[in-house]
Amino acid sequence: MHIEECEYTLIDCVRGCGLQYQRKDERMHIAKECLKNEIKCEFCNEQIVMADEANHLTVCPKFLVPCPSNCGIKDIPREKLTNHLENECKKHEVSCPFSDSNCGFKSLRSEMPKHLKESPGIHLNLMAKTISVQKKQLEILSELIEKQKEHIFALNSKVNSIEKQTSSQIIWKIDHFNEKYNESKSGKKSTIYSPPFLTSRHGYKLALSASLYGDGKAKGKFMSVFLCICKGEFDSLLSWPFSHKITLTLLDQCEDIQERRHVSYTIKPNTCKENTPFLGRPSGDRNASFGAQKFVELEVLNSYDYIKDDAIFIKVEIDSENMITL
């Protein structure tokens, strides 16, 4: 149809700017009038869409604005207006430089020198009072700081104590006990090992081992439990040889807590030279093991509730009284 080709028919902008034009003027519209065209801000040189020009000029940092205090300057870049008002404008009201000392005088910037010249005594008195108040505040603050230091020291002591108490003990759960007991009895796997553990966050690295059917002369009569010192990340910071008392406890799982009969065995390391392979700083992955060959009689093990749900629990406690806390 003719109207679809007519050069004088009004059509919508193909770029969606919202304006209409005659078909014959499309090239000129796109080149010069289309609000979707990008233009360069004449103040900050930022590329903006023509439709956004008015909004941009309301925030453009380089746009020139007049001084709101009517000092006569009318071409201040917006980004410098604050500095002009605070430091340059003769018509801007300012507070006395001694306002922090409770001088409430305000005037135009041009009149402030007169006030300062006429009021030196007043300002000196205000400064003296301010210094006196600040001195008292500093004294109070110093007392508070000392109290805070004491409080922090007490908290650190508590944290260290809690860390020693919680980190210096573990409970090793040996599950599938009957299967592992039979493997130990048959010799298929006579010894089992616990995961390594630390005596504290930065302490000694230890590991347990157990011969459920006994080791050496205790075989068939006692369960044997041993401990070894492993090479740890913090060994160079610790005290050697290892000298801390160790308590191994087989936990009774009786439902009635009052009826539980835990079995404990305490080891007090003898730090003589002959025991260096056991207690000295490890040179290999781990030292030789030491511990309780006769930890608990097998007859006792099978009585009470030491074995429950096919599992036993062995607690290890390390005396941390004289242990270094890093």
Side-chain angles (χ1 to χ4, degrees):
M1 294 176 63
H2 171 71
I3 196 168
E4 293 179 352
E5 300 176 354
C6 179
E7 293 292 310
Y8 295 93
T9 300
L10 289 175
I11 61 174
D12 293 325
C13 174
V14 294
R15 299 169 70 184
C17 77
L19 296 180
Q20 289 185 325
Y21 48 84
Q22 292 180 331
R23 183 175 280 110
K24 67 182 180 64
D25 297 326
E26 184 172 65
R27 182 174 296 178
M28 182 182 69
H29 169 78
I30 292 175
K32 296 182 179 181
E33 301 172 348
C34 182
L35 297 178
K36 294 289 186 178
N37 285 342
E38 282 197 350
I39 60 173
K40 183 182 290 186
C41 174
E42 62 178 296
F43 298 100
C44 68
N45 292 323
E46 182 180 338
Q47 290 292 121
I48 57 175
V49 176
M50 187 184 296
D52 297 335
E53 182 179 21
N55 289 334
H56 171 73
L57 291 178
T58 63
V59 295
C60 176
K62 303 290 185 181
F63 185 73
L64 301 179
V65 296
C67 173
S69 296
N70 298 315
C71 72
I73 300 178
K74 299 181 179 181
D75 53 355
I76 306 169
R78 181 177 280 115
E79 63 184 0
K80 295 183 178 180
L81 183 59
T82 299
N83 180 67
H84 169 74
L85 292 174
E86 292 181 354
N87 301 301
E88 300 170 353
C89 181
K90 301 296 185 181
K91 294 286 187 177
H92 188 63
E93 186 178 72
V94 295
S95 298
C96 172
F98 294 91
S99 60
D100 289 343
S101 297
N102 293 321
C103 179
F105 181 81
K106 292 184 178 181
S107 71
L108 298 180
R109 177 175 279 106
S110 60
E111 298 174 2
M112 188 56 67
K114 181 181 177 182
H115 165 70
L116 295 175
K117 186 177 181 180
E118 294 176 347
S119 310
I122 294 174
H123 290 149
L124 283 173
N125 287 333
L126 290 174
M127 285 291 293
K129 290 179 180 178
T130 300
I131 292 172
S132 177
V133 170
Q134 290 179 341
K135 183 179 179 181
K136 291 179 180 178
Q137 290 175 338
L138 284 173
E139 291 173 354
I140 294 172
L141 185 60
S142 295
E143 291 178 5
L144 288 174
I145 290 174
E146 288 303 315
K147 289 180 180 179
Q148 287 295 320
K149 285 181 179 179
E150 293 174 3
H151 185 58
I152 290 171
F153 179 80
L155 287 176
N156 283 335
S157 298
K158 288 183 179 179
V159 169
N160 289 337
S161 176
I162 292 171
E163 183 177 277
K164 285 182 177 182
Q165 292 173 15
T166 57
S167 299
S168 59
Q169 68 175 33
I170 68 155
I171 295 179
W172 180 25
K173 180 183 180 181
I174 302 176
D175 51 12
H176 305 293
F177 177 81
N178 288 317
E179 178 185 347
K180 293 173 182 176
Y181 178 85
N182 290 328
E183 287 179 347
S184 178
K185 184 176 181 179
S186 67
K188 181 179 179 181
K189 192 174 182 179
S190 60
T191 304
I192 57 175
Y193 298 89
S194 77
F197 62 94
L198 296 176
T199 58
S200 62
R201 185 167 47 175
H202 306 106
Y204 299 94
K205 184 177 182 181
L206 309 177
L208 291 171
S209 62
S211 298
L212 301 182
Y213 192 65
D215 174 76
K217 295 180 179 180
K219 192 169 185 179
K221 299 178 182 179
F222 291 86
M223 181 175 77
S224 304
V225 177
F226 302 99
L227 184 140
C228 70
I229 302 172
C230 306
K231 180 180 285 187
E233 186 176 355
F234 308 104
D235 287 352
S236 63
L237 303 175
L238 302 174
S239 174
W240 299 98
F242 182 88
S243 60
H244 305 284
K245 184 177 70 175
I246 302 164
T247 301
L248 305 173
T249 303
L250 176 66
L251 299 179
D252 189 343
Q253 301 178 58
C254 179
E255 291 183 4
D256 186 346
I257 296 177
Q258 301 300 323
E259 294 297 320
R260 290 179 178 177
R261 299 173 175 84
H262 303 316
V263 177
S264 294
Y265 187 101
T266 299
I267 303 168
K268 296 180 180 179
N270 182 350
T271 57
C272 63
K273 185 176 181 180
E274 290 76 11
N275 286 336
T276 298
F278 303 95
L279 306 175
R281 179 179 174 181
S283 55
D285 290 338
R286 61 175 64 196
N287 286 350
S289 296
F290 61 96
Q293 190 177 54
K294 297 180 179 181
F295 178 53
V296 61
E297 293 182 70
L298 296 181
E299 289 184 5
V300 174
L301 179 65
N302 288 289
S303 62
Y304 302 106
D305 289 303
Y306 297 114
I307 306 170
K308 197 169 186 178
D309 298 328
D310 199 25
I312 66 170
F313 293 90
I314 298 175
K315 182 170 76 170
V316 186
E317 295 177 277
I318 314 296
D319 183 8
S320 58
E321 182 66 28
N322 298 312
M323 193 174 289
I324 295 174
T325 302
L326 302 174

